[in-house]
Amino acid sequence: MNADSDSSTHFKRGTAAYRRATLALFCAGFATFAMLYCVQPLLPLLAAHFSVSAASSSLALSLATLSLALCLLVSGALAESWGRKPVMVAALSLASLLGLACVLVDSWNLLLLLRALLGLALSGMPALAMAYVGEEFDPDSLPAAMGLYIGGTALGGLLGRLLSGLLSDIGGWQLALGGIAGLGLLSLGLFVWLLPASRHFKAQPLSLRGLLGNFSQHLSNPILRQLFLQAFLLMGGFVALFNYIGFRLAGAPFGLSSTVIGLLFTVYLVGIFSAGWAGRLVPRFGVRAVLQGGVGLMLIGVVLCSTPWLIAIIVGLALFTLGFFAAHAVASGQVGLHARGAKAQASALYLCAYYLGSSVVGYAAGYVWEHAGWLPLMAVLAALFVLAAWWARRL
């Protein structure tokens, strides 16, 4: 019996190997999202410091996610030949060093270049982590394991934003970016120590024809295509709301400081909960129902964020985050189950759509905010989520 057919060689819930692997992946998700999204609460500060518009300031995030999205296809393909853990370790190491380099520059264009390179480096993380989960975990344990990984991304998103807001009030945006990069290095050490080597990875010859054939196979799969579209719509709307909520709350009538705005990102704690919770609901209610429920919560959150009351906005952000991470955990977990081989490339396509949504919708939403205002922006996001809910019916 080979390793792929012997379920005893897969990680199962309750075992020490399962706990080590999930904690390592949690650290990886944390570091990836902390370094990627730590600039989000800093956008008003960056706009003022470098004398750029709100939409232009969002390039500090959008360029990083765009380069990550495009390079995911390359790193996902190379990982089919080079392995999982070595590529992830190299990616996290390079990203941490680039994060530290951002502290040393005072040129807007150079900062954007470093952020784009940081996104390129991080492209070696998400798809490989998803592929590792799909290959190494027992099928019954896979949804919970994927939920824990997504929970790590939620915590990274939370602390990256929260700490960068706090550190920026103490020592400016430079201290904020440097502090987050330091956390990335700490997470890297834990990841290297904890993650077991792959036992079910089978290297493929590095062939352009074979790699393109794998992409073609995944894109011809109707279920995977629907999951890719969900990733684009949901992540695009999610990043758009969090990109510009800081501008909304920093202005009249709220006038909140960077620290207080950063504290609002504690709503990510509900994302840590909902990612694991949603994975456990799938066997009971089905993929479609849980996914539609998550999108429905996002719509309610948008409605509440459209109001002029701070408490309603906070509740709306919490529901919005709860729904997003539930939907993302369910959709991403399905990619590995429905991909017929070359799981890293399937995950890369999903995450390419995911980060393209972040880049394209996140940047375009800035023009809606600048030229039309907050309520039209909320209407655009609501339309995206209605479309996502409609497409979820087809799963």
Side-chain angles (χ1 to χ4, degrees), residues 143-203:
M146 185 64 75
L148 285 171
Y149 169 69
I150 300 301
T153 70
L155 183 63
L158 163 64
L159 288 182
R161 293 164 168 94
L162 178 62
L163 291 176
S164 64
L166 177 62
L167 292 173
S168 68
D169 277 346
I170 297 173
W173 60 267
Q174 295 95 334
L175 178 62
L177 296 184
I180 300 303
L183 283 178
L185 288 172
L186 177 61
S187 298
L188 169 64
L190 290 172
F191 178 77
V192 173
W193 176 50
L194 290 169
L195 189 71
S198 297
R199 291 184 289 183
H200 297 271
F201 167 72
K202 292 184 177 179

Side-chain angles (χ1 to χ4, degrees), residues 46-369:
L46 293 175
H49 182 84
F50 292 101
S51 301
V52 297
S53 68
S56 295
S57 72
S58 72
L59 287 172
L61 177 58
S62 293
L63 284 179
T65 54
L66 179 62
S67 66
L68 189 155
L70 298 178
C71 295
L72 269 168
L73 301 179
V74 177
S75 60
L78 291 176
E80 300 294 3
S81 298
W82 293 354
R84 308 298 190 219
K85 185 174 180 179
V87 176
M88 288 191 284
V89 169
L92 202 52
S93 302
L94 180 58
S96 299
L97 294 176
L98 287 166
L100 291 174
C102 289
V103 179
L104 305 177
V105 304
D106 198 28
S107 161
W108 179 240
N109 290 333
L110 185 54
L111 179 63
L112 292 182
L113 175 61
L114 289 173
R115 289 288 300 171
L117 291 174
L118 185 144
L120 184 154
L122 287 176
S123 69
M125 280 300 309
L128 275 67
M130 290 174 61
Y132 183 95
V133 171
E135 291 168 347
E136 304 299 329
F137 286 81
D138 179 77
D140 291 337
S141 304
L142 191 150
M146 185 64 75
L148 285 171
Y149 169 69
I150 300 301
T153 70
L155 183 63
L158 163 64
L159 288 182
R161 293 164 168 94
L162 178 62
L163 291 176
S164 64
L166 177 62
L167 292 173
S168 68
D169 277 346
I170 297 173
W173 60 267
Q174 295 95 334
L175 178 62
L177 296 184
I180 300 303
L183 283 178
L185 288 172
L186 177 61
S187 298
L188 169 64
L190 290 172
F191 178 77
V192 173
W193 176 50
L194 290 169
L195 189 71
S198 297
R199 291 184 289 183
H200 297 271
F201 167 72
K202 292 184 177 179
Q204 297 184 9
L206 195 58
S207 162
L208 180 61
R209 176 178 295 182
L211 296 176
L212 293 177
N214 290 336
F215 282 132
S216 176
Q217 173 184 295
H218 296 321
L219 290 172
S220 66
N221 184 323
I223 295 178
L224 291 181
R225 288 202 305 270
Q226 291 166 28
L227 293 170
F228 300 157
L229 178 62
Q230 290 290 332
F232 181 90
L233 295 174
L234 297 179
M235 184 57 169
F238 181 76
V239 167
L241 177 60
F242 276 99
N243 268 2
Y244 302 105
I245 192 71
F247 288 95
R248 166 73 169 159
L249 296 178
F254 305 104
L256 302 184
S257 69
S258 295
T259 297
V260 175
I261 292 173
L263 286 172
L264 292 179
F265 288 103
T266 54
V267 296
Y268 264 59
L269 289 171
V270 302
I272 300 171
F273 161 76
S274 67
W277 164 71
R280 292 190 292 271
L281 290 180
V282 169
R284 183 175 177 183
F285 297 104
V287 172
R288 181 170 58 185
V290 179
L291 183 57
Q292 286 183 314
V295 177
L297 287 174
M298 295 181 76
L299 273 169
I300 296 172
V302 167
V303 172
L304 291 174
C305 287
S306 302
T307 68
W309 306 299
L310 183 59
I311 186 63
I313 291 173
I314 294 172
V315 173
L317 287 174
L319 291 176
F320 184 80
T321 306
L322 182 78
F324 170 75
F325 280 101
H328 173 41
V330 170
S332 59
Q334 293 301 302
V335 173
L337 292 177
H338 291 283
R340 296 186 292 271
K343 293 181 185 292
Q345 286 180 263
S347 298
L349 283 169
Y350 174 87
L351 290 168
C352 179
Y354 181 86
Y355 289 111
L356 278 176
S358 172
S359 301
V360 175
V361 180
Y363 181 69
Y367 284 95
V368 180
W369 158 247

Side-chain angles (χ1 to χ4, degrees), residues 7-32:
S7 61
S8 65
T9 64
H10 289 82
F11 303 137
K12 294 183 179 181
R13 292 183 68 183
T15 64
Y18 175 91
R19 289 190 292 271
R20 286 179 63 89
T22 52
L23 180 56
L25 292 168
F26 187 91
C27 291
F30 167 84
T32 300

